[in-house]
Amino acid sequence: MLRELLVVDLEDTLWRGVAAEGTLGILEGWPMGFMEALLFLKKRGILLAIISKNDERFILANWKNIVQGQIALTDFAVYKINFRSKIENLAEILREVNLRPQNAVMVDDNPVERAAIQAGLPGVRVLGSQLYYLKRILLWSPETQQPAITRESGQKTKMVHAQLQRESVRKLVRQAERGKP
């Protein structure tokens, strides 16, 4: 089954430490390799997403400093940074990008979160117990291979951003129409 969506947790997964507590570690090693793999998978046409139990305003305001310019927030098609259940957030992302759980991979360092996702959304491939091997697993897995990398593959994130923006406008218009007498 081809995986078209790769969802990542932030703390102790995309980077070492907890950003809000100021306990960030260096990005060398697996965080940098993982970020490189994410950008390569994006070129293959795989959508990137974030799910993190965190303060969204803090993360957005400090993103560039935290990742030290290695990956942009715009490289992710969608993100859910809040304190809701990761299962709820992942189900919402899947609906937004019109994919099934079988098309998604979730990477999270927390074994409790990984188990909950596997139980709540069977079909999602869940990784994260071996962070040092993520780059190799993601880049070499048959599930993430593409027969050809096209210009359209690299534009898939922009297309999803535009689709989500159009849907947001449609919702606002529908709400405004319902509010009229």
Side-chain angles (χ1 to χ4, degrees):
M1 172 69 54
L2 183 64
R3 304 296 172 153
E4 300 177 56
L5 174 69
L6 176 58
V7 184
V8 300
D9 177 43
L10 295 178
E11 295 173 329
D12 287 326
T13 302
L14 188 63
W15 57 70
R16 291 180 179 152
V18 179
E21 294 176 3
T23 60
L24 291 175
I26 57 173
L27 291 182
E28 292 174 359
W30 61 260
M32 187 169 287
F34 184 39
M35 289 181 200
E36 290 172 353
L38 293 177
L39 292 172
F40 193 78
L41 292 171
K42 180 183 173 210
K43 288 179 185 176
R44 287 185 185 170
I46 294 173
L47 296 173
L48 305 178
I50 295 169
I51 294 177
S52 178
K53 289 184 178 178
N54 224 312
D55 177 0
E56 181 179 18
R57 279 186 272 162
F58 178 84
I59 296 297
L60 298 181
N62 293 284
W63 181 265
K64 288 181 184 176
N65 291 333
I66 295 169
V67 298
Q68 300 171 17
Q70 297 300 310
I71 192 167
L73 194 56
T74 55
D75 288 317
F76 296 88
V78 64
Y79 57 85
K80 305 289 180 190
I81 303 171
N82 54 47
F83 292 97
R84 291 178 34 217
S85 153
K86 289 188 178 182
I87 297 168
E88 291 174 34
N89 281 325
L90 183 51
E92 188 174 314
I93 288 173
L94 290 168
R95 281 191 303 276
E96 288 176 1
V97 298
N98 198 28
L99 291 172
R100 300 176 315 144
Q102 293 80 1
N103 300 113
V105 175
M106 175 74 191
V107 180
D108 197 308
D109 68 301
N110 186 319
V112 173
E113 294 289 359
R114 290 194 309 267
I117 291 163
Q118 286 180 319
L121 291 167
V124 173
R125 181 170 184 196
V126 182
L127 303 171
S129 63
Q130 303 281 333
L131 294 172
Y132 286 95
Y133 297 105
L134 280 177
K135 182 177 181 179
R136 183 179 345 177
I137 292 167
L138 292 170
L139 292 178
W140 292 3
S141 172
E143 300 168 307
T144 60
Q145 301 302 311
Q146 300 290 341
I149 297 175
T150 64
R151 197 168 65 106
E152 185 180 77
S153 298
Q155 299 298 314
K156 196 169 181 180
T157 298
K158 286 182 183 177
M159 293 186 309
V160 169
H161 282 162
Q163 172 192 337
L164 294 173
Q165 181 66 31
R166 285 190 303 273
E167 186 57 35
S168 178
V169 169
R170 280 189 206 111
K171 284 181 184 177
L172 290 173
V173 168
R174 283 191 295 254
Q175 288 172 350
E177 288 173 350
R178 279 186 238 141
K180 292 181 181 177

